[in-house]
Amino acid sequence: MASTHDDHHHDHAHGDHAPGRGHAHHGPNTSAQRLGWALAVLLAFTLLEALGGWWSNSLALLSDAVHMAADSAALGLALFAQRIATRPANARLSYGWQRSPALAAFVNGLALLALTVWVVAEAALRLLKPEAVQADWMLAIALAGGVANVAVFLVLSGGASLNERGARAHVLGDLLGSGAAVLAAVIILATGRTVADPLLSLFVSAMILRTGWAITRDSAHVLLEGTPAGFDEVAVREELAELPDITGVHHVHAWSLSGEQTLVTLHAQLRDGADADATLRAIHHRLRDHLGVAHATVQLECGDCADAPRGEPTHGCIPAPGAAHGITANHLHGHAH
């Protein structure tokens, strides 16, 4: 019986480096700077709105101050996650800390949901038992808070990471809260109806609830290693099937560490006598340039799939010559990013 032979071929499309280390881009540093500026502004105006809400007895201002306090904590957590995400991989964490931004975004989403529940409960109490509000102070502070939130939202508008999406969702909620507080103050000044304060708080809470749920859902999807949005397994199979030395593609898996870069692993079946190195390079070229997958690990197989249960053929696999006589197929692995 012939002995098993494992031949490992590594194709690094963008240089030879360890998994999880990635390349040095300006993105993480720019993102950290945006989050840092946003945190500084929010901390200052959180204190202003908290004191103003207490002084004016406005639920709209107090709820906005609570949201801003949560934003400050969330941004601090996001900033911390962004910094540790750049740490190199090690023996215990082969991808480093790249998943930490997704975890921070998940916590941010949960914070939004929890705070929304609190505001709704407090607004219900105010509707049952209206309280006096100093609308003039409420209006002035709400306007100042609104200006601060617009500034922070603009600072964060250039980011696309889950963390910055989560931060923008927080700030958008604060901006809506400031707008609602301004409107409530104007209604109270014009009509004396203090019920406007809790009513507009409920309106804003409904909008924040929707955003908070979206951030929680998306970050949980990343943490559960769900298939990235827009990834099409059928398209991958069809694209690679066009290569002349490929007879089948199976075990296709896709996930993301932080919600931005898609990672893929797959098995590709080779025709008998195929040039393994050339085919491996062609696969990575198709994945990168045609499908936008920059990080892929590919196993090339010259016979039955090694992961298939014994006696059960894998879809798309062709038995290697001699396999029926006990000869084990070769498996060639390629990794590129």
Side-chain angles (χ1 to χ4, degrees):
M1 179 179 293
S3 62
T4 301
H5 173 69
D6 291 325
D7 186 12
H8 296 274
H9 293 255
H10 296 277
D11 179 28
H12 295 274
H14 297 291
D16 192 5
H17 50 278
R21 294 185 183 273
H23 302 283
H25 295 297
H26 297 295
N29 290 333
T30 304
S31 176
Q33 290 173 356
R34 284 194 292 260
L35 291 171
W37 279 107
L39 177 60
V41 174
L42 283 178
L43 281 174
F45 280 88
T46 294
L47 181 60
L48 175 65
E49 286 212 338
L51 292 174
W54 171 78
W55 179 260
S56 64
N57 196 32
S58 167
L59 177 61
L61 275 184
L62 284 173
S63 61
D64 197 33
V66 171
H67 277 288
M68 291 185 79
D71 293 349
S72 299
L75 284 174
L77 181 61
L79 188 58
F80 173 72
Q82 290 284 69
R83 291 191 185 280
I84 66 174
T86 61
R87 292 181 179 179
N90 54 46
R92 191 170 65 90
L93 298 170
S94 62
Y95 280 108
W97 296 79
Q98 294 184 47
R99 179 147 285 175
S100 55
L103 180 59
F106 183 69
V107 174
N108 291 354
L110 291 179
L112 274 174
L113 296 178
L115 287 169
T116 301
V117 171
W118 178 83
V119 172
V120 170
E122 188 66 22
L125 293 176
R126 290 284 184 103
L127 287 173
L128 294 174
K129 188 179 179 181
E131 298 183 14
V133 176
Q134 296 188 44
D136 49 352
W137 279 97
M138 177 183 173
L139 179 60
I141 296 169
L143 286 172
V147 171
N149 284 315
V150 168
V152 172
F153 190 83
L154 291 176
V155 168
L156 295 173
S157 62
S161 68
L162 272 175
N163 257 330
E164 288 172 302
R165 283 181 55 201
R168 282 201 303 272
H170 277 284
V171 174
L172 181 59
D174 287 335
L175 184 57
L176 291 172
S178 296
V182 169
L183 181 58
V186 170
I187 292 175
I188 293 171
L189 286 171
T191 67
R193 295 181 178 276
T194 58
V195 72
D197 187 40
L199 280 177
L200 285 170
S201 296
L202 286 174
F203 170 74
V204 173
S205 295
M207 300 184 70
I208 299 173
L209 181 65
R210 182 171 178 266
T211 303
W213 170 249
I215 294 297
T216 304
R217 179 197 61 211
D218 291 350
S219 55
H221 186 75
V222 172
L223 293 174
L224 292 172
E225 297 189 347
T227 303
F231 179 80
D232 187 347
E233 180 180 342
V234 174
V236 171
R237 292 175 181 271
E238 292 177 349
E239 183 72 32
L240 298 184
E242 295 178 2
L243 296 175
D245 288 331
I246 297 293
T247 62
V249 175
H250 53 276
H251 285 325
V252 179
H253 301 285
W255 71 99
S256 176
L257 293 175
S258 63
E260 298 177 48
Q261 185 185 51
T262 297
L263 288 75
V264 171
T265 63
L266 60 86
H267 293 193
Q269 195 75 21
L270 292 180
R271 294 187 185 280
D272 195 24
D275 184 335
D277 286 328
T279 303
L280 184 59
R281 286 192 293 271
I283 289 174
H284 285 302
H285 170 73
R286 290 286 182 111
L287 290 174
R288 183 181 62 250
D289 297 342
H290 294 201
L291 299 170
V293 176
H295 187 121
T297 301
V298 178
Q299 176 170 300
L300 300 180
E301 297 171 337
C302 302
D304 288 329
C305 177
D307 294 337
R310 181 170 297 180
E312 180 179 321
T314 302
H315 177 71
C317 293
I318 297 178
H325 302 287
I327 297 178
T328 305
N330 295 340
H331 299 281
L332 304 98
H333 303 267
H335 173 77
H337 57 139

